[in-house]
Amino acid sequence: MQAMLKLDIKIRAAQAADLPALIGVDAIAQRDPARRRMLGEAIAAQSCWLAEAEEALGYGILDRSFFQQRFIPLLMVTETARGRGVASALMAEFERRCAGDKLFTSANESNLPMRRLLDKLGFRESGRIDNLDDGDPELVFMKRAARPAG
Protein backbone atom coordinates (compact mmCIF):
# COMPACT_ATOMS: atom_id res chain seq x y z
CA MET A 1 0.00 0.00 0.00
CA GLN A 2 1.41 3.36 -1.01
CA ALA A 3 1.69 6.16 1.60
CA MET A 4 -0.51 9.17 0.92
CA LEU A 5 1.41 12.36 0.24
CA LYS A 6 0.84 15.36 2.47
CA LEU A 7 -0.72 18.31 0.72
CA ASP A 8 0.42 21.93 0.48
CA ILE A 9 -2.55 23.23 2.45
CA LYS A 10 -3.53 26.88 2.71
CA ILE A 11 -6.01 28.04 5.34
CA ARG A 12 -8.00 31.24 4.84
CA ALA A 13 -11.23 32.83 5.97
CA ALA A 14 -14.11 31.57 3.86
CA GLN A 15 -15.92 34.14 1.73
CA ALA A 16 -19.52 34.13 0.45
CA ALA A 17 -18.27 33.00 -2.97
CA ASP A 18 -16.80 29.88 -1.29
CA LEU A 19 -20.20 28.55 -0.17
CA PRO A 20 -20.59 26.17 -3.17
CA ALA A 21 -17.11 24.74 -2.49
CA LEU A 22 -17.94 24.24 1.20
CA ILE A 23 -21.15 22.47 0.26
CA GLY A 24 -19.13 20.29 -2.12
CA VAL A 25 -16.94 19.20 0.79
CA ASP A 26 -19.89 18.42 3.07
CA ALA A 27 -22.26 15.57 2.15
CA ILE A 28 -24.75 16.72 4.80
CA ALA A 29 -24.85 20.28 3.39
CA GLN A 30 -25.51 18.81 -0.06
CA ARG A 31 -28.87 17.48 1.13
CA ASP A 32 -29.75 19.68 4.15
CA PRO A 33 -30.84 23.31 3.65
CA ALA A 34 -30.39 24.02 7.38
CA ARG A 35 -26.71 23.03 7.16
CA ARG A 36 -26.26 25.28 4.10
CA ARG A 37 -27.85 28.18 6.01
CA MET A 38 -25.58 27.50 8.99
CA LEU A 39 -22.52 27.60 6.69
CA GLY A 40 -23.68 30.89 5.16
CA GLU A 41 -24.17 32.35 8.64
CA ALA A 42 -20.70 31.17 9.74
CA ILE A 43 -19.15 32.79 6.67
CA ALA A 44 -21.02 36.06 7.35
CA ALA A 45 -19.86 35.96 10.98
CA GLN A 46 -16.26 35.44 9.80
CA SER A 47 -16.02 32.21 11.80
CA CYS A 48 -15.59 29.74 8.92
CA TRP A 49 -12.15 28.77 7.62
CA LEU A 50 -11.42 27.03 4.33
CA ALA A 51 -8.58 24.56 3.78
CA GLU A 52 -7.51 24.34 0.17
CA ALA A 53 -4.68 23.23 -2.07
CA GLU A 54 -5.74 23.41 -5.70
CA GLU A 55 -9.33 22.85 -4.59
CA ALA A 56 -11.39 23.00 -1.41
CA LEU A 57 -10.28 20.16 0.87
CA GLY A 58 -12.13 20.95 4.07
CA TYR A 59 -13.40 23.60 6.38
CA GLY A 60 -13.89 24.32 10.03
CA ILE A 61 -15.86 26.74 12.13
CA LEU A 62 -14.43 28.48 15.18
CA ASP A 63 -16.84 30.49 17.30
CA ARG A 64 -17.87 31.17 20.89
CA SER A 65 -21.09 29.16 20.90
CA PHE A 66 -20.07 26.99 23.88
CA PHE A 67 -20.53 29.00 27.10
CA GLN A 68 -18.71 31.95 25.43
CA GLN A 69 -15.59 29.79 25.10
CA ARG A 70 -13.67 29.22 21.87
CA PHE A 71 -15.38 26.23 20.26
CA ILE A 72 -15.01 24.22 17.07
CA PRO A 73 -18.56 23.05 16.32
CA LEU A 74 -17.74 21.61 12.92
CA LEU A 75 -14.69 20.27 11.11
CA MET A 76 -15.16 18.66 7.72
CA VAL A 77 -12.63 17.15 5.28
CA THR A 78 -13.36 15.63 1.87
CA GLU A 79 -13.14 11.84 1.71
CA THR A 80 -10.22 11.99 -0.75
CA ALA A 81 -8.15 14.32 1.46
CA ARG A 82 -8.58 12.47 4.76
CA GLY A 83 -5.37 11.35 6.40
CA ARG A 84 -3.35 13.96 4.51
CA GLY A 85 -3.03 16.69 7.15
CA VAL A 86 -6.08 18.82 6.34
CA ALA A 87 -7.82 18.45 9.71
CA SER A 88 -4.52 18.96 11.55
CA ALA A 89 -3.84 22.14 9.54
CA LEU A 90 -7.28 23.54 10.37
CA MET A 91 -6.87 22.67 14.05
CA ALA A 92 -3.42 24.31 14.13
CA GLU A 93 -4.92 27.48 12.64
CA PHE A 94 -7.66 27.50 15.26
CA GLU A 95 -5.15 26.97 18.05
CA ARG A 96 -3.05 29.85 16.72
CA ARG A 97 -6.11 32.11 16.64
CA CYS A 98 -6.91 31.46 20.30
CA ALA A 99 -3.42 31.44 21.78
CA GLY A 100 -3.58 31.13 25.56
CA ASP A 101 -7.34 30.49 25.60
CA LYS A 102 -9.14 27.27 26.24
CA LEU A 103 -10.23 25.63 23.00
CA PHE A 104 -13.20 23.25 23.06
CA THR A 105 -14.69 20.87 20.53
CA SER A 106 -16.83 17.76 20.60
CA ALA A 107 -17.29 14.50 18.75
CA ASN A 108 -19.68 11.60 18.91
CA GLU A 109 -18.33 8.68 20.89
CA SER A 110 -18.51 6.63 17.67
CA ASN A 111 -16.35 9.11 15.70
CA LEU A 112 -13.05 7.32 16.22
CA PRO A 113 -11.06 9.20 13.54
CA MET A 114 -11.86 12.56 15.18
CA ARG A 115 -11.19 11.21 18.65
CA ARG A 116 -7.78 9.90 17.49
CA LEU A 117 -6.96 13.30 15.95
CA LEU A 118 -7.93 15.13 19.14
CA ASP A 119 -5.80 12.78 21.24
CA LYS A 120 -2.84 13.26 18.88
CA LEU A 121 -3.23 17.05 19.13
CA GLY A 122 -3.32 17.05 22.94
CA PHE A 123 -7.04 17.57 23.54
CA ARG A 124 -8.41 15.90 26.66
CA GLU A 125 -11.93 14.69 27.33
CA SER A 126 -13.79 17.27 29.38
CA GLY A 127 -17.35 16.00 29.54
CA ARG A 128 -20.16 14.01 28.01
CA ILE A 129 -23.59 14.96 26.72
CA ASP A 130 -26.18 12.22 26.45
CA ASN A 131 -29.35 12.22 24.35
CA LEU A 132 -28.27 14.40 21.42
CA ASP A 133 -27.91 11.36 19.16
CA ASP A 134 -29.65 8.28 20.54
CA GLY A 135 -27.12 5.73 21.72
CA ASP A 136 -24.09 7.81 20.65
CA PRO A 137 -23.05 10.31 23.35
CA GLU A 138 -21.34 13.56 22.41
CA LEU A 139 -17.93 13.82 24.07
CA VAL A 140 -16.54 17.29 24.82
CA PHE A 141 -12.79 17.93 24.56
CA MET A 142 -10.61 20.83 25.68
CA LYS A 143 -7.08 22.03 25.09
CA ARG A 144 -5.38 25.18 26.31
CA ALA A 145 -4.01 26.70 23.13
CA ALA A 146 -0.31 27.41 23.37
CA ARG A 147 0.84 31.01 23.64
CA PRO A 148 3.14 32.10 20.81
CA ALA A 149 6.84 32.04 21.61
CA GLY A 150 8.49 35.35 22.03
Side-chain angles (χ1 to χ4, degrees):
M1 185 174 200
Q2 190 176 15
M4 299 197 74
L5 297 174
K6 293 288 182 186
L7 299 166
D8 183 21
I9 302 162
K10 307 281 188 270
I11 308 291
R12 64 173 177 82
Q15 305 296 313
D18 296 318
L19 184 57
L22 298 179
I23 293 168
V25 165
D26 186 341
I28 294 171
Q30 292 169 26
R31 65 179 186 273
D32 183 357
R35 177 77 144 238
R36 292 192 295 272
R37 277 192 303 279
M38 186 264 315
L39 285 172
E41 290 166 2
I43 291 169
Q46 299 178 332
S47 61
C48 186
W49 301 88
L50 175 65
E52 59 188 357
E54 296 187 13
E55 63 185 7
L57 302 171
Y59 71 86
I61 295 174
L62 175 66
D63 62 23
R64 289 187 178 268
S65 62
F66 185 73
F67 298 97
Q68 297 303 306
Q69 299 292 316
R70 302 283 191 148
F71 183 65
I72 303 163
L74 193 54
L75 188 74
M76 188 66 60
V77 176
T78 62
E79 288 277 337
T80 57
R82 291 183 183 165
R84 300 180 71 192
V86 177
S88 293
L90 283 161
M91 296 296 277
E93 177 65 19
F94 294 155
E95 187 172 345
R96 185 186 70 74
R97 292 189 165 280
C98 24
D101 286 346
K102 294 176 187 174
L103 179 57
F104 289 87
T105 192
S106 68
N108 283 97
E109 187 173 63
S110 66
N111 189 345
L112 297 179
M114 183 63 171
R115 290 177 56 201
R116 281 191 291 271
L117 174 69
L118 294 171
D119 185 57
K120 180 180 96 171
L121 297 177
F123 281 78
R124 296 295 167 243
E125 194 170 328
S126 185
R128 171 187 166 120
I129 303 168
D130 291 313
N131 304 310
L132 287 175
D133 295 324
D134 290 338
D136 195 6
E138 191 77 11
L139 304 177
V140 178
F141 298 86
M142 190 278 294
K143 178 180 184 179
R144 188 169 299 275
R147 293 191 186 278

